[in-house]
Amino acid sequence: KPIVQEKPGAIEGELTKVTQPEMNPAIEAELDSVRQQLVGDTTPVLAPDSPIVLPSSSPHGTGDTGTAGSAQPGFSNLDELLSQAGPLAGEVAPVNMPGGALFEYDQATLRPEAIETLRKLGELIRRNPRATFSIEGHSDSFGDADYNLALSRARAEAVKAWLIDQMGVDPSRIETRGFGSTRLIAPADGSREEQQINRRVEIVIRTPRD
């Protein structure tokens, strides 16, 4: 390719006009087709280890993510309860565990990522032998009410079973309840995103009265 000088010659007639050779029409048409495909292809490229999230038409589960036991208005923080010296006393706000942090979408099988939080919950139960704990499942307003009720119960039972099997918690100290969509925090007419807080498991703690 010719190199264009920053400063042209003083005599314009000395400059030679460089023209591009004509391209074969068939090749140019093929290149245009490739350009259009590249411009129209908006599919994201994922890294080999990137998680792939597939859409689901099921209204009953949750794809929510979040930190189980994290602090939210009206709820206790699990880490803060564990940091307190001595047994829990007085009225304790429930611990909120987002459903997506514990379970896969539309399932009552615990996720591996939930184990650390469940260990903290088991340790809290061990440290407070005189307190009782109620594991309560909740759902959003989407889907069949009976299905949501059964799913919320199954999820509460799954948490209890793990605490008994893995942490040796006395079964008599834990009760489970499922409320389905009967105790919504966000309004029932909200979108799925707005109702994320409705899809949860609450740990209700009852301390002894001295």
Side-chain angles (χ1 to χ4, degrees):
K1 296 181 180 180
I3 301 176
V4 179
Q5 300 293 333
E6 292 182 0
K7 295 182 180 180
I11 302 176
E12 295 183 359
E14 295 179 356
L15 298 178
T16 302
K17 183 178 181 181
V18 179
T19 59
Q20 296 293 337
E22 294 185 1
M23 184 177 295
N24 188 304
I27 297 177
E28 188 169 1
E30 184 177 353
L31 290 176
D32 288 340
S33 177
V34 173
R35 292 191 196 101
Q36 292 178 2
Q37 291 179 5
L38 292 175
V39 172
D41 186 6
T42 58
T43 303
V45 179
L46 298 178
D49 297 332
S50 298
I52 299 177
V53 181
L54 298 177
S56 173
S57 59
S58 172
H60 308 299
T62 172
D64 303 339
T65 58
T67 303
S70 59
Q72 292 184 358
F75 293 101
S76 295
N77 182 285
L78 189 55
D79 290 327
E80 291 180 358
L81 294 179
L82 284 171
S83 66
Q84 296 182 17
L88 299 176
E91 185 175 352
V92 180
V95 175
N96 177 37
M97 295 184 171
L102 298 179
F103 302 98
E104 294 294 347
Y105 190 89
D106 197 25
Q107 295 182 16
T109 302
L110 289 165
R111 303 177 61 199
E113 294 83 356
I115 301 305
E116 180 180 356
T117 299
L118 294 177
R119 290 188 186 279
K120 292 180 181 180
L121 176 59
E123 181 62 25
L124 184 67
I125 296 175
R126 284 180 174 179
R127 293 186 186 182
N128 294 271
R130 298 182 60 192
T132 58
F133 296 78
S134 177
I135 304 173
E136 303 180 350
H138 301 266
S139 74
D140 59 26
S141 64
F142 297 100
D144 181 76
D146 291 337
Y147 181 95
N148 288 337
L149 180 61
L151 180 62
S152 65
R153 288 174 177 170
R155 288 182 166 183
E157 287 290 341
V159 174
K160 177 179 179 178
W162 191 94
L163 293 171
I164 294 172
D165 295 340
Q166 303 298 322
M167 300 293 292
V169 175
D170 184 353
S172 64
R173 299 189 55 208
I174 307 175
E175 66 174 355
T176 58
R177 305 179 70 181
F179 292 97
S181 58
T182 61
R183 295 190 176 184
L184 300 176
I185 297 177
D189 58 355
S191 65
R192 295 186 188 279
E193 291 75 18
E194 292 170 338
Q195 290 199 54
Q196 286 183 4
I197 195 172
N198 291 333
R199 302 184 287 269
R200 68 197 187 279
V201 173
E202 289 185 16
I203 310 301
V204 179
I205 304 171
R206 298 183 179 89
T207 59
R209 296 182 180 180
D210 295 331

